Amino acid sequence: MKIAVNTRLLLKDRLEGIGQFTFETLRRITRLHPEHQFFFLFDRKYDDSFLFSDNITPVVAYPQARHPYLWYLFFEHGIPLKIKKINPDLFLSTDGWIPTKLDIPVVNVIHDLNFLHHPEFVPPVVQRYYGRFFPKFARNATQLATVSEYSRQDIIQSFHVDPDKVNVVFSGNNPAYKPLTKEQQEQVKRKYTDGCDYFLFVGLIHKRKNLDNIFRAFDIFKDSRSNPTKLVVVGDKKWWAGEIEDTYLKMRHRGDVLLLGRQPLDAVCELTASATAMVYTSLFEGFGLPIVDSFNAHVPIITSNVTAMPEIAGDAAVLVDPYNPDQLAEAMASLQHDDNLRNTLIEKAIARKGLFTWDRTADLLWETIEKALP
Protein backbone atom coordinates (compact mmCIF):
# COMPACT_ATOMS: atom_id res chain seq x y z
CA MET A 1 0.00 0.00 0.00
CA LYS A 2 1.14 3.55 -0.76
CA ILE A 3 0.35 6.23 1.82
CA ALA A 4 0.86 9.94 1.14
CA VAL A 5 1.40 12.02 4.29
CA ASN A 6 1.23 15.75 4.95
CA THR A 7 4.51 16.40 6.80
CA ARG A 8 4.79 20.19 6.47
CA LEU A 9 5.22 20.61 10.24
CA LEU A 10 8.31 18.38 10.44
CA LEU A 11 10.72 21.29 10.89
CA LYS A 12 14.21 20.75 12.27
CA ASP A 13 14.54 22.10 15.85
CA ARG A 14 11.06 23.66 15.57
CA LEU A 15 8.67 20.92 16.60
CA GLU A 16 5.74 22.44 18.47
CA GLY A 17 2.90 20.29 19.83
CA ILE A 18 1.42 19.13 16.52
CA GLY A 19 4.88 18.78 14.99
CA GLN A 20 5.85 16.55 17.92
CA PHE A 21 2.74 14.43 17.38
CA THR A 22 3.63 14.11 13.70
CA PHE A 23 7.24 13.17 14.44
CA GLU A 24 6.52 10.59 17.13
CA THR A 25 3.67 8.81 15.34
CA LEU A 26 5.24 8.67 11.89
CA ARG A 27 8.60 7.55 13.25
CA ARG A 28 6.90 4.52 14.77
CA ILE A 29 4.34 3.76 12.07
CA THR A 30 6.83 3.78 9.20
CA ARG A 31 9.19 1.45 11.05
CA LEU A 32 6.44 -0.88 12.25
CA HIS A 33 4.99 -1.26 8.75
CA PRO A 34 7.88 -1.84 6.32
CA GLU A 35 5.45 -3.60 3.97
CA HIS A 36 3.94 -0.21 3.06
CA GLN A 37 5.48 2.72 1.22
CA PHE A 38 5.15 6.24 2.61
CA PHE A 39 5.45 9.48 0.65
CA PHE A 40 6.22 12.43 2.96
CA LEU A 41 4.93 15.69 1.48
CA PHE A 42 6.98 18.67 2.70
CA ASP A 43 6.45 22.31 1.78
CA ARG A 44 10.18 23.20 1.83
CA LYS A 45 13.60 21.60 1.91
CA TYR A 46 13.41 18.77 4.43
CA ASP A 47 15.92 17.47 6.95
CA ASP A 48 17.14 13.91 6.40
CA SER A 49 16.54 13.11 10.08
CA PHE A 50 12.83 12.92 9.25
CA LEU A 51 13.35 10.03 6.84
CA PHE A 52 12.92 7.44 9.54
CA SER A 53 13.17 4.30 7.42
CA ASP A 54 13.87 2.98 3.91
CA ASN A 55 10.18 2.85 2.98
CA ILE A 56 9.88 6.68 2.98
CA THR A 57 10.10 8.79 -0.16
CA PRO A 58 10.39 12.55 0.45
CA VAL A 59 8.48 14.88 -1.88
CA VAL A 60 8.51 18.68 -1.83
CA ALA A 61 5.26 20.37 -2.88
CA TYR A 62 4.84 24.11 -3.34
CA PRO A 63 4.28 26.78 -2.22
CA GLN A 64 5.44 26.99 1.40
CA ALA A 65 2.23 26.88 3.43
CA ARG A 66 2.54 29.58 6.08
CA HIS A 67 -0.33 31.98 5.28
CA PRO A 68 -4.04 31.45 4.45
CA TYR A 69 -3.57 32.18 0.74
CA LEU A 70 -0.53 29.88 0.59
CA TRP A 71 -2.35 27.22 2.66
CA TYR A 72 -5.03 27.20 -0.01
CA LEU A 73 -2.54 26.89 -2.86
CA PHE A 74 -0.54 24.18 -1.09
CA PHE A 75 -3.49 21.97 -0.17
CA GLU A 76 -5.78 22.60 -3.12
CA HIS A 77 -3.13 22.63 -5.84
CA GLY A 78 0.37 21.71 -4.66
CA ILE A 79 -0.51 18.46 -2.88
CA PRO A 80 -3.10 17.27 -5.45
CA LEU A 81 -0.49 17.61 -8.20
CA LYS A 82 1.85 15.33 -6.26
CA ILE A 83 -1.00 12.95 -5.41
CA LYS A 84 -1.67 12.42 -9.11
CA LYS A 85 1.95 11.38 -9.66
CA ILE A 86 2.17 9.17 -6.57
CA ASN A 87 -1.26 7.56 -7.00
CA PRO A 88 -1.48 6.55 -3.30
CA ASP A 89 -4.07 4.32 -1.67
CA LEU A 90 -4.62 6.73 1.23
CA PHE A 91 -3.82 10.28 2.32
CA LEU A 92 -2.90 11.01 5.95
CA SER A 93 -2.68 14.43 7.56
CA THR A 94 -1.64 14.91 11.19
CA ASP A 95 -2.25 18.66 11.43
CA GLY A 96 -5.91 19.09 10.45
CA TRP A 97 -5.43 20.37 6.87
CA ILE A 98 -6.37 18.22 3.87
CA PRO A 99 -7.13 18.82 0.18
CA THR A 100 -10.91 19.10 -0.06
CA LYS A 101 -11.21 17.13 -3.31
CA LEU A 102 -9.52 13.74 -3.19
CA ASP A 103 -10.95 10.51 -4.54
CA ILE A 104 -9.00 8.28 -2.15
CA PRO A 105 -9.55 7.49 1.56
CA VAL A 106 -8.40 10.30 3.85
CA VAL A 107 -7.42 10.18 7.53
CA ASN A 108 -7.23 13.58 9.19
CA VAL A 109 -6.08 14.47 12.72
CA ILE A 110 -7.79 17.60 14.09
CA HIS A 111 -6.25 18.38 17.46
CA ASP A 112 -8.70 21.00 18.72
CA LEU A 113 -11.12 23.75 17.70
CA ASN A 114 -9.68 26.59 19.76
CA PHE A 115 -10.32 29.07 16.91
CA LEU A 116 -14.04 28.34 17.17
CA HIS A 117 -14.29 29.12 20.88
CA HIS A 118 -11.69 31.90 21.10
CA PRO A 119 -11.71 33.75 17.78
CA GLU A 120 -10.13 36.72 19.57
CA PHE A 121 -6.84 34.77 19.68
CA VAL A 122 -6.68 34.38 15.90
CA PRO A 123 -5.98 37.08 13.28
CA PRO A 124 -9.15 37.89 11.29
CA VAL A 125 -7.84 36.59 7.95
CA VAL A 126 -6.80 33.31 9.58
CA GLN A 127 -10.14 33.05 11.41
CA ARG A 128 -12.03 33.42 8.12
CA TYR A 129 -9.95 30.66 6.55
CA TYR A 130 -10.47 28.33 9.51
CA GLY A 131 -14.20 29.03 9.62
CA ARG A 132 -14.60 28.27 5.93
CA PHE A 133 -12.35 25.24 5.55
CA PHE A 134 -12.16 23.31 8.81
CA PRO A 135 -15.79 22.11 8.63
CA LYS A 136 -14.88 20.74 5.18
CA PHE A 137 -11.66 19.20 6.51
CA ALA A 138 -13.74 17.37 9.11
CA ARG A 139 -16.63 16.26 6.92
CA ASN A 140 -14.54 15.28 3.89
CA ALA A 141 -12.26 12.94 5.83
CA THR A 142 -13.00 9.23 5.72
CA GLN A 143 -11.86 8.89 9.32
CA LEU A 144 -10.93 11.52 11.88
CA ALA A 145 -8.63 11.32 14.87
CA THR A 146 -8.32 13.75 17.74
CA VAL A 147 -6.33 13.81 20.96
CA SER A 148 -8.99 13.77 23.70
CA GLU A 149 -12.60 12.86 24.33
CA TYR A 150 -13.26 16.55 24.91
CA SER A 151 -12.08 17.37 21.38
CA ARG A 152 -13.97 14.39 19.96
CA GLN A 153 -17.27 15.66 21.33
CA ASP A 154 -16.41 19.20 20.26
CA ILE A 155 -15.78 18.12 16.65
CA ILE A 156 -18.94 15.99 16.52
CA GLN A 157 -21.17 18.72 17.88
CA SER A 158 -19.58 21.70 16.12
CA PHE A 159 -19.27 20.17 12.64
CA HIS A 160 -22.13 17.64 12.78
CA VAL A 161 -20.02 14.69 11.73
CA ASP A 162 -20.79 11.01 12.25
CA PRO A 163 -19.57 10.01 15.75
CA ASP A 164 -18.49 6.63 14.39
CA LYS A 165 -15.77 8.23 12.29
CA VAL A 166 -14.16 10.31 15.09
CA ASN A 167 -11.51 8.41 17.07
CA VAL A 168 -9.59 9.41 20.21
CA VAL A 169 -5.84 9.08 19.71
CA PHE A 170 -4.19 10.46 22.84
CA SER A 171 -0.83 12.17 22.49
CA GLY A 172 2.13 10.66 24.35
CA ASN A 173 4.66 11.81 26.88
CA ASN A 174 8.25 12.40 25.89
CA PRO A 175 10.61 9.79 27.44
CA ALA A 176 13.36 12.43 27.42
CA TYR A 177 11.65 13.89 30.51
CA LYS A 178 12.96 12.03 33.55
CA PRO A 179 13.19 12.67 37.29
CA LEU A 180 16.43 14.05 38.68
CA THR A 181 18.11 13.44 42.01
CA LYS A 182 18.09 16.17 44.66
CA GLU A 183 21.72 16.89 43.89
CA GLN A 184 21.04 17.21 40.17
CA GLN A 185 18.08 19.51 40.88
CA GLU A 186 20.26 21.77 42.98
CA GLN A 187 22.78 21.96 40.15
CA VAL A 188 20.02 23.04 37.74
CA LYS A 189 18.84 25.70 40.18
CA ARG A 190 22.36 27.06 40.56
CA LYS A 191 22.66 27.17 36.77
CA TYR A 192 19.43 29.08 36.09
CA THR A 193 18.07 30.72 39.27
CA ASP A 194 21.08 31.28 41.56
CA GLY A 195 19.98 28.28 43.60
CA CYS A 196 16.39 29.48 44.18
CA ASP A 197 13.24 27.38 43.90
CA TYR A 198 11.04 28.25 40.92
CA PHE A 199 7.75 27.66 39.19
CA LEU A 200 7.98 26.84 35.48
CA PHE A 201 5.92 27.74 32.44
CA VAL A 202 6.75 25.98 29.15
CA GLY A 203 4.90 26.74 25.94
CA LEU A 204 4.40 29.12 23.08
CA ILE A 205 3.93 32.62 24.46
CA HIS A 206 0.46 33.29 23.14
CA LYS A 207 -2.65 34.86 24.67
CA ARG A 208 -4.33 31.43 24.78
CA LYS A 209 -1.60 30.17 27.11
CA ASN A 210 -2.75 32.69 29.75
CA LEU A 211 0.70 33.94 30.72
CA ASP A 212 -0.68 37.34 31.73
CA ASN A 213 -2.76 35.74 34.50
CA ILE A 214 0.22 33.62 35.54
CA PHE A 215 2.19 36.88 35.95
CA ARG A 216 -0.65 38.35 38.05
CA ALA A 217 -0.83 35.21 40.19
CA PHE A 218 2.92 35.19 40.76
CA ASP A 219 2.76 38.79 42.00
CA ILE A 220 0.00 37.82 44.46
CA PHE A 221 2.01 34.79 45.59
CA LYS A 222 5.12 36.89 46.17
CA ASP A 223 3.17 39.64 47.99
CA SER A 224 1.91 37.16 50.57
CA ARG A 225 5.26 35.49 51.24
CA SER A 226 8.76 36.85 51.58
CA ASN A 227 10.88 34.30 49.72
CA PRO A 228 13.28 34.20 46.79
CA THR A 229 11.13 31.89 44.61
CA LYS A 230 11.37 32.62 40.89
CA LEU A 231 9.09 32.18 37.89
CA VAL A 232 10.89 30.71 34.86
CA VAL A 233 9.26 31.17 31.44
CA VAL A 234 10.40 29.02 28.51
CA GLY A 235 8.91 29.71 25.10
CA ASP A 236 9.10 31.63 21.86
CA LYS A 237 8.00 35.28 22.33
CA LYS A 238 6.24 35.40 18.98
CA TRP A 239 3.03 36.94 20.42
CA TRP A 240 4.68 38.75 23.33
CA ALA A 241 3.60 42.29 22.41
CA GLY A 242 0.28 43.48 23.80
CA GLU A 243 -1.43 42.40 27.02
CA ILE A 244 1.22 39.82 27.94
CA GLU A 245 4.07 42.33 27.73
CA ASP A 246 2.01 45.07 29.39
CA THR A 247 1.19 42.80 32.33
CA TYR A 248 4.83 41.80 32.66
CA LEU A 249 6.03 45.42 32.69
CA LYS A 250 3.54 46.28 35.47
CA MET A 251 4.64 43.39 37.71
CA ARG A 252 5.76 44.27 41.21
CA HIS A 253 8.10 41.25 41.26
CA ARG A 254 9.32 41.39 37.68
CA GLY A 255 12.89 40.95 38.90
CA ASP A 256 12.04 37.39 39.95
CA VAL A 257 10.80 36.40 36.47
CA LEU A 258 13.30 34.77 34.11
CA LEU A 259 12.37 34.89 30.42
CA LEU A 260 14.57 32.23 28.82
CA GLY A 261 12.98 32.16 25.35
CA ARG A 262 13.06 28.95 23.33
CA GLN A 263 15.38 26.35 24.84
CA PRO A 264 16.76 23.03 23.53
CA LEU A 265 15.01 19.88 24.70
CA ASP A 266 17.71 18.85 27.18
CA ALA A 267 17.45 22.22 28.92
CA VAL A 268 13.64 22.05 29.06
CA CYS A 269 13.85 18.54 30.53
CA GLU A 270 16.22 19.54 33.31
CA LEU A 271 14.25 22.70 34.05
CA THR A 272 11.03 20.69 34.28
CA ALA A 273 12.48 18.01 36.55
CA SER A 274 13.87 20.62 38.97
CA ALA A 275 10.83 22.89 39.27
CA THR A 276 8.66 23.25 42.35
CA ALA A 277 5.75 22.82 39.94
CA MET A 278 4.82 23.23 36.31
CA VAL A 279 2.23 25.98 35.78
CA TYR A 280 0.17 25.24 32.69
CA THR A 281 -3.10 27.11 33.01
CA SER A 282 -4.15 27.65 29.40
CA LEU A 283 -7.55 29.01 28.50
CA PHE A 284 -8.08 26.25 25.93
CA GLU A 285 -6.29 22.99 25.09
CA GLY A 286 -7.24 19.94 23.09
CA PHE A 287 -4.67 17.95 25.06
CA GLY A 288 -1.73 19.71 26.78
CA LEU A 289 1.63 17.99 26.29
CA PRO A 290 3.38 19.70 29.23
CA ILE A 291 0.94 17.92 31.56
CA VAL A 292 2.08 14.43 30.60
CA ASP A 293 5.72 15.49 30.22
CA SER A 294 5.56 16.68 33.84
CA PHE A 295 4.18 13.26 34.78
CA ASN A 296 7.34 11.72 33.32
CA ALA A 297 9.58 14.14 35.20
CA HIS A 298 7.82 13.44 38.52
CA VAL A 299 6.95 17.11 38.97
CA PRO A 300 3.61 18.41 40.30
CA ILE A 301 1.52 20.43 37.88
CA ILE A 302 -1.04 23.20 38.22
CA THR A 303 -3.40 23.20 35.27
CA SER A 304 -6.79 24.55 34.22
CA ASN A 305 -10.19 23.12 35.05
CA VAL A 306 -11.49 23.78 31.53
CA THR A 307 -11.56 22.02 28.13
CA ALA A 308 -9.39 18.86 27.86
CA MET A 309 -6.98 19.58 30.69
CA PRO A 310 -8.98 17.92 33.52
CA GLU A 311 -9.42 14.84 31.33
CA ILE A 312 -5.69 14.51 30.71
CA ALA A 313 -4.54 15.47 34.22
CA GLY A 314 -7.10 13.35 36.08
CA ASP A 315 -6.47 13.48 39.82
CA ALA A 316 -2.72 13.97 39.35
CA ALA A 317 -2.73 17.79 39.24
CA VAL A 318 -4.04 20.84 41.06
CA LEU A 319 -6.91 22.19 38.93
CA VAL A 320 -7.66 25.92 39.01
CA ASP A 321 -9.88 28.44 37.27
CA PRO A 322 -7.48 29.92 34.68
CA TYR A 323 -9.25 33.29 34.89
CA ASN A 324 -8.69 33.55 38.66
CA PRO A 325 -5.14 34.68 39.59
CA ASP A 326 -5.93 34.47 43.32
CA GLN A 327 -6.78 30.78 42.99
CA LEU A 328 -3.62 30.13 41.01
CA ALA A 329 -1.52 32.00 43.62
CA GLU A 330 -3.06 29.84 46.34
CA ALA A 331 -2.15 26.70 44.38
CA MET A 332 1.44 27.92 44.05
CA ALA A 333 1.63 28.46 47.81
CA SER A 334 0.18 25.03 48.53
CA LEU A 335 2.68 23.23 46.32
CA GLN A 336 5.62 25.15 47.70
CA HIS A 337 4.82 24.44 51.35
CA ASP A 338 2.84 21.18 51.45
CA ASP A 339 5.20 18.24 50.87
CA ASN A 340 2.37 15.73 51.40
CA LEU A 341 0.38 17.30 48.56
CA ARG A 342 3.43 17.32 46.29
CA ASN A 343 4.24 13.69 47.02
CA THR A 344 0.63 12.57 46.54
CA LEU A 345 0.42 14.28 43.16
CA ILE A 346 3.72 12.76 42.06
CA GLU A 347 2.55 9.26 43.05
CA LYS A 348 -0.68 9.74 41.08
CA ALA A 349 1.26 11.10 38.10
CA ILE A 350 3.54 8.05 38.05
CA ALA A 351 0.48 5.79 38.02
CA ARG A 352 -1.21 7.82 35.29
CA LYS A 353 1.66 8.41 32.85
CA GLY A 354 1.35 4.92 31.34
CA LEU A 355 -1.90 6.01 29.67
CA PHE A 356 0.02 8.42 27.46
CA THR A 357 2.81 6.79 25.48
CA TRP A 358 3.77 7.46 21.88
CA ASP A 359 3.73 3.72 21.18
CA ARG A 360 0.06 3.66 22.13
CA THR A 361 -0.57 6.82 20.11
CA ALA A 362 0.97 5.27 16.99
CA ASP A 363 -1.04 2.07 17.43
CA LEU A 364 -4.30 4.01 17.79
CA LEU A 365 -3.53 6.15 14.75
CA TRP A 366 -2.75 3.03 12.70
CA GLU A 367 -6.09 1.52 13.79
CA THR A 368 -7.77 4.68 12.51
CA ILE A 369 -5.94 4.31 9.18
CA GLU A 370 -7.13 0.72 8.87
CA LYS A 371 -10.74 1.83 9.48
CA ALA A 372 -10.48 4.19 6.50
CA LEU A 373 -9.44 1.50 4.05
CA PRO A 374 -12.07 -0.24 1.89
Side-chain angles (χ1 to χ4, degrees), residues 19 25 36 57 99 151 172 181 198 217 250 295 313 319 334 342 356 359:
T25 54
H36 301 306
T57 301
S151 285
T181 65
Y198 61 90
K250 294 175 184 175
F295 288 174
L319 300 179
S334 296
R342 286 175 49 81
F356 307 104
D359 287 343

Side-chain angles (χ1 to χ4, degrees), residues 182-245:
K182 288 291 184 182
E183 182 180 349
Q184 289 171 323
Q185 291 174 357
E186 293 304 319
Q187 290 175 352
V188 173
K189 291 176 189 177
R190 288 195 292 270
K191 179 178 178 181
Y192 291 100
T193 62
D194 292 328
C196 297
D197 291 339
Y198 61 90
F199 293 99
L200 177 67
F201 167 89
V202 175
L204 191 64
I205 295 178
H206 184 279
K207 177 63 178 171
R208 179 165 63 92
K209 300 298 184 180
N210 201 29
L211 192 55
D212 49 344
N213 274 331
I214 294 174
F215 287 153
R216 295 183 182 103
F218 185 68
D219 258 353
I220 296 169
F221 164 79
K222 294 284 287 188
D223 283 345
S224 63
R225 286 163 178 80
S226 177
N227 62 57
T229 302
K230 310 292 185 184
L231 173 64
V232 175
V233 176
V234 175
D236 192 340
K237 294 173 69 174
K238 187 173 181 180
W239 286 278
W240 174 254
E243 186 172 357
I244 299 173
E245 182 180 25

